[in-house]
Amino acid sequence: MELLVEGLTVARGGVPVLENLGFRLSSGQVLVLRGPNGSGKTTLLRTLAGLQPPLAGEISLPPEAIAYGAHADGLKGQLSVAENLAFWASVYGTRDIERALVDMNLVALRDRPAANLSAGQKRRLGLARLLVTGRPIWLLDEPTVSLDAASVALFADAVRAHVAAGGAALIATHIDLGLDAAIFDVTPFKADPDATAGDGAFDEAFL
Amino acid sequence: MIALLIRDLRLTFRAGGGFGLGLAFFLIVTVLVPFGVGPESALLARIAPGILWVGALLACLLSLDRIFQLDFEDGSLDLLATAPVPMEGAVAMKALAHWLTTGLPLTLAAPFFGGLMSLPTAGFLWVFVTLLIGTPALSMIGTFGAALTVGLKRGGLLLSLLVLPLYIPTLLFGAETARRAIMGMEYAQTFAILAGVSAGSIAILPFAAAAAIRINLR
């Protein structure tokens, strides 16, 4: 199980942001993405998650391997914590949400509507969603936003357990998670924004 | 995919979900029209099928922009797109959920509201039947329109303008079938076309809507 990226060029709004980028992520590894704001970390993660096509390059990964954790947690305020989690569990064809609730310290909140959670609690629920996907490769976009120190430690433990079980994680973050992780700085791959983003593609005109 | 349907239904029925909005609007239209056109029951009976159809169509239109917009705003649409659910299936479930919470209640209510419009007795059955066959097309076409406008802020106006012309065949053949059946005329042809519009929309539009969402999420 391995994520291999070669010669990848990604664009946001039709403008290339990162070009000719490559790395390898094998099971048991954590790779931390670094780079200043606007350097294209989110765009890279969205491309790897399959939400947008790359401009150039190859992404090779096993099918059905990716769990994507975005800035937004995708929670429904009217549903309870357990209902939110159970929904995603059944979408991914898993059933057990208890472990995820325990791991993210949400047991006491399980019947609380998600709308009444604090920002940090919502984030914890968003991260608990990753645990119920059962997917080996986690792509995480600033997972620790609005988490307190104890919750960051909780999250780091969850990543450690995931990796120890043969998973892998690619995490865009600005803080030190205390993980045994390789650092991948995207700054050297910054694309020239004036270069044209491939011509002829019909949808470019609308972006 | 069933999980998605159940979640959508649950969200609609919970507080703030907007269930009943379409139904209330439909009731208002059918109550107000007799005031507007006067108390002539012969005239009312003649226009009743058409008014019921127009009312149901507009009530359907009201809730369309909620289909994808809320999921887009809270990020669930991105997560759904990366989940092991085909987008076509997710779109079809969204349309089904919309129909179950809008089209079906409107269909069931139409015969009762028809009473307010002096709908002839034969009309109760035929307004019900044509709406039952026609409203799935309204939900599916509306879902397609919602998919096209999903990323736009205040896309509701554009959505209505896009969807209204696409609704015309359904309205035309739905109301015409009901009118002909009530007057005792030959209705098999228009009824077949109405059913065809519905079946065609359900067969084709999930794919078009899924493609539109994929482009809008980029």
Side-chain angles (χ1 to χ4, degrees):
Chain A
M1 203 267 329
E2 174 178 82
L3 168 65
L4 183 63
V5 174
E6 280 175 308
L8 187 70
T9 300
V10 297
R12 183 180 174 95
V15 180
V17 286
L18 292 171
E19 62 186 358
N20 210 11
L21 169 151
F23 62 85
R24 175 195 296 264
L25 179 68
S26 318
S27 56
Q29 282 186 336
V30 180
L31 196 58
V32 170
L33 278 183
R34 284 279 154 84
N37 291 146
S39 57
K41 301 184 293 296
T42 297
T43 309
L44 173 61
L45 289 174
R46 285 180 67 87
T47 308
L48 293 176
L51 286 170
Q52 57 182 73
L55 277 185
E58 289 291 323
I59 302 169
S60 72
L61 76 172
E64 308 251 303
I66 296 279
Y68 174 55
H71 284 284
D73 293 313
L75 305 176
K76 290 296 174 191
Q78 301 114 298
L79 299 183
S80 73
V81 168
E83 283 171 337
N84 267 299
L85 212 49
F87 164 67
W88 287 111
S90 54
V91 164
Y92 280 90
T94 57
R95 281 286 167 269
D96 182 29
I97 64 165
E98 297 307 322
R99 226 202 76 207
L101 287 173
V102 173
D103 284 0
M104 280 294 143
N105 191 20
L106 290 164
V107 178
L109 301 169
R110 63 176 300 149
D111 294 320
R112 183 89 63 91
N116 297 350
L117 298 181
S118 77
Q121 290 168 333
K122 281 182 186 156
R123 191 89 266 228
R124 291 218 303 272
L125 178 52
L127 294 172
R129 186 185 62 85
L130 294 167
L131 298 172
V132 301
T133 58
R135 292 288 179 89
I137 302 177
W138 289 358
L139 303 179
L140 303 179
D141 201 350
E142 313 237 9
T144 55
V145 170
S146 65
L147 290 184
D148 59 16
S151 302
V152 169
L154 214 58
F155 164 67
D157 285 343
V159 174
R160 254 180 235 116
H162 175 66
V163 168
L170 180 62
I171 307 174
T173 180
H174 297 292
I175 68 163
D176 185 14
L177 295 169
L179 292 166
D180 178 21
I183 305 274
F184 181 74
D185 193 336
V186 297
T187 321
F189 302 98
K190 189 169 167 40
D192 174 12
D194 296 328
T196 47
D199 40 12
F202 81 97
D203 50 20
E204 303 296 339
F206 300 103
L207 291 170
Chain B
M1 285 201 296
I2 300 298
L4 183 62
L5 176 67
I6 293 170
R7 182 195 72 152
D8 273 14
L9 292 179
R10 205 181 254 163
L11 284 173
T12 316
F13 288 118
R14 293 238 168 124
F19 178 74
L21 179 70
L23 214 50
F25 179 83
F26 192 33
L27 176 66
I28 291 170
V29 169
T30 46
V31 167
L32 289 186
V33 164
F35 288 125
V37 299
E40 260 181 84
S41 56
L43 174 64
L44 273 177
R46 214 172 70 224
I47 62 172
I51 296 291
L52 287 170
W53 254 92
V54 169
L57 185 147
L58 292 177
C60 230
L61 206 57
L62 266 184
S63 48
L64 286 183
D65 64 337
R66 302 178 66 95
I67 297 181
F68 293 114
Q69 200 60 32
L70 297 177
D71 277 349
F72 179 77
E73 279 163 10
D74 66 18
S76 350
L77 203 55
D78 275 350
L79 300 178
L80 266 182
T82 61
V85 180
M87 189 46 91
E88 289 79 6
V91 166
M93 284 301 136
K94 288 264 175 195
L96 178 59
H98 181 263
W99 183 72
L100 286 175
T101 53
T102 310
L104 186 61
L106 289 175
T107 304
L108 295 174
F112 298 100
F113 293 175
L116 300 169
M117 305 268 309
S118 327
L119 187 67
T121 322
F124 288 84
L125 174 68
W126 280 102
V127 165
F128 174 78
V129 170
T130 53
L131 279 175
L132 189 67
I133 302 293
T135 45
L138 298 183
S139 285
M140 197 60 243
I141 294 169
T143 305
F144 170 59
L148 282 176
T149 56
V150 70
L152 303 174
K153 296 267 178 263
R154 301 269 162 263
L157 173 65
L158 183 59
L159 172 58
S160 316
L161 290 176
L162 273 174
V163 160
L164 272 179
L166 299 175
Y167 271 1
I168 287 177
T170 317
L171 172 65
L172 212 60
F173 292 108
E176 182 66 8
T177 306
R179 190 184 70 86
R180 287 182 175 219
I182 292 166
M183 315 249 296
M185 292 157 66
E186 171 62 44
Y187 57 81
Q189 276 177 358
T190 52
F191 193 47
I193 297 177
L194 174 69
V197 169
S198 258
S201 315
I202 294 167
I204 296 166
L205 289 180
F207 298 95
I213 287 186
R214 286 201 195 95
I215 289 173
N216 276 332
L217 284 183
R218 278 180 193 178

